[in-house]
Amino acid sequence: MSTAKQLRPITAFWLSRISLLLILIHSYVGPTTSEARVPHDHQEEIAIDFQIPAQTLSSALTQFANQSDLFLVYKSELTQGHHTTDVIGKFTPDQALGLLLRETDLLYRTTDSSTVMINEGLPHHQLQAMAEEPPGVEINTSTSQPVPEGNVETLPEVYVPGFKLLQKSYSLPNATTATKTDTPIMQTPVSIQVLPKQVLNDQQTIRLERVLENVSGIYQEQGFNLTQIFNVRGFQTFTYYRDGMPIEGALLQIGPREMGNIERIEVLKGPASFLYGRINPGGLVNLVTKQPLAQPYYSLQQQFGSFQRYRTTADATGPLTKDDTVIYRINFTHESSDSFRDFIEGERIFVAPVVRWNINNRTQITFELEFQHDENVADWGIPAVGDRPADIPRSRNLSGESFNEAKSDSLLGGFHWSHNFDDNWSLTHRFNMLFTKEDDLGSFPLAVGADGRTLSRAVAGFKDNETDVYFTTMNITGSFQTLGLEHTILIGGDYYNLTTTGDFLDGPLNSVDIFNPVFSTGPAVVSAEFPIDNHKERFGIYIQDQIALPFNLYLMAGGRFDFVKVEDNIRNAKQDEEALKPRVGLLWQPLSQLSFYGSYVESFGSDDFFIVNPDGTTLDPDTAQQWEGGMKAELFDGRLQGTLAFYHLTKQNISTPDSLIAGFSRAVGEARNRGIELDVTAEILPGWQTIGAYSYIDSEITKGNKGNRFANVPRHGGSFWTTYEIQEGNLRGLTLGTGVVARSEREADNANTVQLPGYALVHLLSRYSWTLGSSRMTAQLNVDNLFNKEYFPSSFNGRNRIDTGAPRTFLGSLRVEFGA
C-alpha cells in the first residue's frame, strides 16, 4: 500500500475532528465583538460593488438579493410592469435598493439583520405629502434619492402569507448561458434550466450527476470513477463547461467534478455549438462558480456519511482593502471515502482562490485559480450475462487488484474582466489555462465467455498523461434602437487549444469467474506502451441579434463560423474543417405569464475523443440539426415556473471510443432523437418549494444498427423533489423534504442485446437551522435510495461495463456560517 493510502484514514480522522472542534468552539464562544453582527438599524453598512444592469424590477431584485446576500420578501405581483435603471458601482444595500425602487410607490423595511420586506406604498399624492415629514418616517417616493442610512424602520420578525422569499427559491428568472446576455428565461426561445444554490444545498450536492437528476432529459453515464459523462437528449457528451470554458473530462481523467465552489448550474438543451464551439448536440451543462462578495461571509461545514465518507468544506469571502476595491473568495474541500464497491477508495484536496479588483464603477478584473489533487481507483462496473446485468452482489468488483491506482493533479488559472462603455455597451473577456497530469493502472474487463461466467481481462492505464489547455473568449454586447425596434446585439469569438501527450499501457491478466472470482496476487505486467500525441485547435466567431418586435414578439437570429483542426500525430491523421452554422428563434409573449417559442439550430463537430477508425481511416466530423418548439409559463404571481418543450434532433457521423482497441474511435452511423420535456419549479406556500422534471425520448438509430434504440436512452425519465421549511412557532427552522427519481428500461448497447431494468429511487431530507449569537448553525441529514433499491444507471460502450447504483446511503453535516 502506498504512503498516501496509509495516511488517508489518518488525514480524514484529524481533518474531520478539527472541523467539528472549530464548529463547537464557535458555537459556544461566538465571534469576537468586532465580528459580531449588530442589528440593521445600528450597524454601519458596508458599501458593496453592485452590478445590476437596467432590466425588469423582478430580475433586478433577484440580482440585488444575490449580490447583497440579503433575503427579500415581497408579493410577486408588486413588481409587474416595473423596470429599473442601472445600479452599477459602490452602494450600501440601503442605497442600492432605494435606487431600484425609486421609480415605484413601493416601501421596504428590515425585519432582521438579513431580511428585507417590500410592501405596497400609499397613493402617490400621500407619499409626496409624507416626503415633507421630519426624519423618522421611512418612505420611498418616485422622486426620492436613496434612503439615508439609519432611516429605515426595523420591525420584529413577521410571517406574511402570499409573499415571495428570494434566495431560498428554486426559481431564477434570468440565465446567461443560452444567449450570453442577461435575458429573462420567459423571453428566451430555447429550453434553459437553472439549478440555484438552494437546490444544491438541500440535496447536499457533492457529485454533479446527482443534482442534474432535477433536469429533464439529462442522464448519468458510466464514468468509471475517473471522468464525467452525461447523456443529454439522447446523445453522450464527455464535456461540461465551467463559466463558459469547456472541460473535456474524458481526456483529462481527473475524477468527478468538484462542487465546492459552484454557485449554480445552467443547462442549455439542444445544440450549443453556436456560442460555445464543438460540443455534442444534446445540450450543454455550464457550472457557474462562486464569486467574491464585499460583505464578509465565512462558512465551515463537516460532512460524514456511509462508507467512511468524510468531507470538509470551507468558504470565506470579503474585502482585502478598506475601500472594498479588492475583494476575495476562497473555497477549500478535503474529502476521503471508501465505497460500497470492493477495493474502491479515494481522497481529494481542492482549493479555489478568487480575487476581484474593482478598478472603478465601470471596470473590474477577476483573477482565479483552482488546484485539485485526486487519488482514486477506476471502477468498470459489472458485465452482462444474457440480456441482463450479471446476477452478482453489487459490491463485487471484478477488476479488484492490488495494483489498481489512479492519481491526478490539475491546475486551472486565469482572469476575466469587463468594462461598461456606457449604459448600453459593454465588453467582456476571459482567458484560462488548464494543466493536468494523470497516471493510472488497473484491471480492465473485456468480455464474458460463452460459458456465461468467465470474464477475460487485461491490464490497462495511462502513464504521464498530460494535457495543456488554453482558452479565451471575448464578447461585445450592446443595446440600441432602429426603426423603433429594440436590439440587443452580441458579437464575439473564442479560441481553444488542447494538447494531450502520454502513453497508453497494455498487458495480459488472468480471467476470473464472475460468480467466484480469484484475483492475481502479483504486480501488473505491462507488455506494451502506445504513445499518445493529440492536438486540437479551434477558432470561432459569431454574431447574435435579439430584437423586440411589435405585438410582444422576440426574434433571436445569428450565425457562427468555425475553423477546426484536430491532429493525431502518432497515426498521422488530421481533421481540418470549417463551417458556417445558423441559429434562429422566435418567441411570442401574449401575456407576461405565458410565452410560446420555436427555434432551429445546426451543430458542427463534438468533443472528439479519437479521430481514427481501427482500419486507419480518419473519421468525418459529426453534424446535427434540431427543430424545437414549446411554451413557458410564470403563473400564480411567479410562484410557478415551467417549460414544456418538443424537439426533433438528428446527428450524423456519430463515433464512439473503440471498446477493444485503445486510441481509436469507431463510426456508428446516424441517430434521431425526438421527444417531449417538462420542467417545473413551484413555491406552493411560503417555505414549500418543489422542482420536477419529465422527459420522453423516442430514440432510433437511422444508419448503422438501423431501427435500434440508442444506448443508455430511457424512453421515460423523471424526478420530483419537494421541501417544506416551517415558518413560525417552536419548530421554525426545521426543513423536511423528499423526492423520487425514476427511469424506464434502457439498452446497454447499440446492438440492443442487453436491457437495463427501469427503477425508481426515493430520497429524504431533514434539516434544522438556528442562530447562536451572530452565527447560523445548520444540522442536516440526507438519505438517498431509502428503500435500498438495486439498479443499474448506465453502461459504458457496450455490455461488459455496466454501472451499479449505490445502496441506501446516509450523508450528514454540521455547518456554521457567520459574517461581519
Side-chain angles (χ1 to χ4, degrees), residues 13-29 300 302 777 814 816:
F13 175 88
W14 283 110
L15 276 173
S16 63
R17 280 144 184 83
I18 290 171
S19 300
L20 286 172
L21 180 61
L22 288 173
I23 290 174
L24 291 173
I25 290 173
H26 185 82
S27 300
Y28 284 103
V29 177
L300 180 64
Q302 178 62 51
M777 306 290 298
L814 184 61
V816 58

Side-chain angles (χ1 to χ4, degrees), residues 239 241 246 248 272-274 276-280 494 536-538 560 562-566 575 577-578 603-608 611 620-622:
T239 299
Y241 281 65
E248 298 192 58
S273 60
F274 169 76
Y276 296 96
R278 288 161 70 101
I279 184 174
N280 265 292
D494 52 52
K536 297 183 184 183
E537 189 174 15
R538 59 179 184 249
R560 178 187 177 99
D562 265 314
F563 306 84
V564 179
K565 180 169 67 176
V566 183
Q575 284 182 356
E577 306 285 345
E578 57 186 50
S603 176
F604 171 65
S606 61
D607 42 3
D608 314 274
I611 64 170
D620 293 327
D622 59 61

Side-chain angles (χ1 to χ4, degrees), residues 14 39 63 156 223 257 348 373 384 435 513 534 637 663 730:
W14 283 110
Q63 293 192 11
R257 167 68 206 189
R348 166 176 292 180
H373 173 74
F435 308 107
D513 183 342
N534 292 333
D637 300 325
N730 295 332

Side-chain angles (χ1 to χ4, degrees), residues 449-511:
D451 61 357
R453 61 185 307 141
T454 302
L455 176 67
S456 58
R457 306 183 303 163
V459 170
F462 289 96
K463 183 178 71 173
D464 297 329
N465 181 28
E466 297 186 7
T467 301
D468 297 344
V469 180
Y470 300 90
F471 171 77
T472 188
T473 181
M474 180 175 289
N475 296 282
I476 297 176
T477 306
S479 298
F480 60 91
Q481 285 191 347
T482 59
L483 301 177
L485 302 179
E486 187 72 31
H487 295 256
T488 300
I489 194 166
L490 171 74
I491 302 173
D494 52 52
Y495 175 77
Y496 180 83
N497 188 310
L498 177 147
T499 301
T500 298
T501 59
D503 293 289
F504 179 80
L505 309 179
D506 189 24
L509 188 63
N510 67 301
S511 299

Side-chain angles (χ1 to χ4, degrees), residues 24 66 74 155 159 174 237 240 254 313 332 387 392 430 445 451 510 557 566 594-595 619 688 702 740 747 794:
L24 291 173
N66 290 332
Y74 68 96
L155 299 178
Y159 168 75
N174 287 33
T237 179
Y240 64 88
I254 56 175
T313 58
F332 167 82
D387 61 358
I392 60 177
R430 170 177 291 274
D451 61 357
N510 67 301
V566 183
L594 188 64
S595 300
L619 296 168
W688 188 358
T702 52
V740 62
E747 302 293 337
S794 65

